[in-house]
Amino acid sequence: MNLWDWKSRFYDEGRGIFPFNLILEKEVRNLKELLSQVNRDKEWMLDLGTGPGLVPRRLHNGSKIVGLDKSIGMIAKAQTARLDRLIIADANQLPFKPDTFGLVTAIGIFEYQKNPTVFLAESRCVLKSHGRMVLT
């Protein structure tokens, strides 16, 4: 069992405990403000490292959302997030055609990447030419 499959057992509960709940709410407010400046209507959004789907669920504005995570446990948790598609895959080997997404989000996963150059190249490849990436 990998670390994230183990963490998936209590991840949601941990995010609801003070002060983590306040940090999450502030992060979501900041992301909503930032993304309000981006036209996302009818665009597909890819959330890398979606975990249980907390962030894309709160950012939803009618766009189609794909949640991707390499943890089977996290994807199982994300079933309740009502995302349009859930994919078990590594963000360093994205299973999508180039120019697929208008928005790619990677919230709180960049620091876990063993090869950040590959991660960024894969993310850029699946972005449309007018697309945006939000990385924290």
Side-chain angles (χ1 to χ4, degrees):
M1 175 180 296
N2 73 38
L3 173 66
W4 291 103
D5 284 335
W6 179 76
K7 280 187 169 188
S8 71
R9 297 176 183 177
F10 54 85
Y11 188 83
D12 287 339
E13 294 78 15
R15 297 292 293 227
I17 297 171
F18 178 84
F20 304 110
N21 61 334
L22 299 179
I23 294 167
L24 177 62
E25 289 306 317
K26 182 168 177 43
E27 186 174 59
V28 169
R29 276 194 311 273
N30 290 343
L31 287 169
K32 279 185 177 182
E33 182 179 334
L34 176 68
L35 293 175
S36 70
Q37 301 168 33
V38 177
N39 180 7
R40 296 181 288 146
D41 292 339
K42 299 181 181 154
E43 291 278 10
W44 277 91
M45 170 185 167
L46 172 62
D47 185 45
L48 299 173
T50 201
L54 293 173
V55 173
R57 179 175 46 206
R58 291 183 174 157
L59 293 177
H60 192 265
N61 74 332
S63 58
K64 301 283 187 180
I65 301 174
V66 175
L68 180 137
D69 206 298
K70 67 180 179 180
S71 165
I72 295 169
M74 287 295 189
I75 290 292
K77 286 272 212 186
Q79 297 289 331
T80 62
R82 296 185 306 269
L83 305 183
D84 295 287
R85 288 183 63 199
L86 292 168
I87 307 286
I88 299 169
D90 189 317
N92 290 302
Q93 294 179 309
L94 295 175
F96 306 106
K97 293 179 183 175
D99 304 312
T100 301
F101 298 96
L103 176 66
V104 173
T105 57
I107 310 303
I109 70 160
F110 188 68
E111 62 269 26
Y112 297 104
Q113 300 308 305
K114 291 178 183 171
N115 192 336
T117 304
V118 171
F119 174 82
L120 291 172
E122 284 288 301
S123 300
R124 174 60 195 103
C125 181
V126 300
L127 267 176
K128 291 182 177 180
S129 61
H130 66 276
R132 309 276 188 199
M133 180 170 187
V134 176
L135 176 72
T136 66

